[in-house]
Amino acid sequence: MNRSGTQLSSASQRWLKELRSAGYRLTAPRQAVVEIIANSEFLLDPQTLYDRARRRYPRLGLVTVYRTLEKLEEQGLVQRVHHPDGCQAFIAAVNGHQHLLICQRCNRVQYFSGDGERMGALMESVSQASGYQIQEHWLQLFGLCADCQASAEQ
Ligand SMILES: [Zn+2]
Ligand SMILES: [Zn+2]
């Protein structure tokens, strides 16, 4: 329980603990930034994160948001997502190798595994065509989530 008596999610609690043990001083505004991104299923860019955290801490600076994101990235707690329009956005990192599915309308992020035979065959054919020895891959797929498809049909 935090001071306001609300229950923190286990993700935020784990993150706060990790940051503290890495020697990061968690001021209340930094903590607000951490909690928002730890609990988000949606991509967050620094500006959106700033706007949300500022509802709790009106005097929060954008620099604090950037520094907190930097620290979270350093600790491997968030991962950067690349957007076709070039903007930077972040989402809570998951353990292990996963592929991302990103909704282009609402920014919801889901993960899928599925490195099976087909992925192996794809890598093999790319490798043969290019002459590269492929060591890893990172996959992001963009589209419309089920909720956004349903609302588009109405
Ligand atoms: Zn959506
Ligand atoms: Zn993969």
Side-chain angles (χ1 to χ4, degrees):
M1 304 277 259
N2 66 15
R3 240 177 302 163
S4 63
T6 52
Q7 188 79 46
L8 290 178
S9 79
S10 57
S12 332
Q13 277 172 337
R14 186 169 53 79
W15 287 26
L16 295 170
K17 207 171 141 198
E18 272 186 48
L19 289 165
R20 265 186 219 111
S21 60
Y24 193 58
R25 205 167 57 87
L26 282 162
T27 58
R30 285 176 183 176
Q31 191 167 325
V33 172
V34 170
E35 282 166 20
I36 289 165
I37 193 155
N39 295 314
S40 179
E41 290 177 58
F42 297 87
L43 279 186
L44 289 169
D45 58 58
Q47 185 65 47
T48 309
L49 195 49
Y50 174 59
D51 292 340
R52 271 201 217 157
R54 224 165 28 150
R55 282 183 218 149
R56 282 202 240 168
Y57 294 98
R59 290 170 64 197
L60 175 75
L62 188 54
V63 173
T64 301
V65 173
Y66 277 101
R67 294 226 177 105
T68 307
L69 281 170
E70 225 167 74
K71 191 73 192 174
L72 288 170
E73 203 178 9
E74 226 175 88
Q75 295 295 313
L77 294 170
V78 297
Q79 74 180 74
R80 200 179 279 264
V81 172
H82 297 276
H83 240 268
D85 66 8
C87 85
Q88 54 173 342
F90 297 85
I91 187 80
V94 286
N95 287 329
H97 176 79
Q98 291 283 328
H99 310 121
L100 285 90
L101 271 166
I102 298 155
C103 179
Q104 286 171 297
R105 180 173 299 180
C106 72
N107 282 329
R108 183 193 306 274
V109 176
Q110 281 179 36
Y111 293 93
F112 68 101
S113 46
D115 280 334
E117 252 169 62
R118 278 200 207 160
M119 188 68 86
L122 174 65
M123 294 307 143
E124 186 59 38
S125 78
V126 172
S127 174
Q128 278 180 6
S130 64
Y132 269 60
Q133 191 182 63
I134 294 168
Q135 284 157 340
E136 51 184 305
H137 65 261
W138 195 40
L139 199 58
Q140 290 185 183
L141 304 180
F142 293 91
L144 284 180
C145 73
D147 286 351
C148 286
Q149 287 175 59
S151 70
E153 277 160 17
Q154 279 165 13

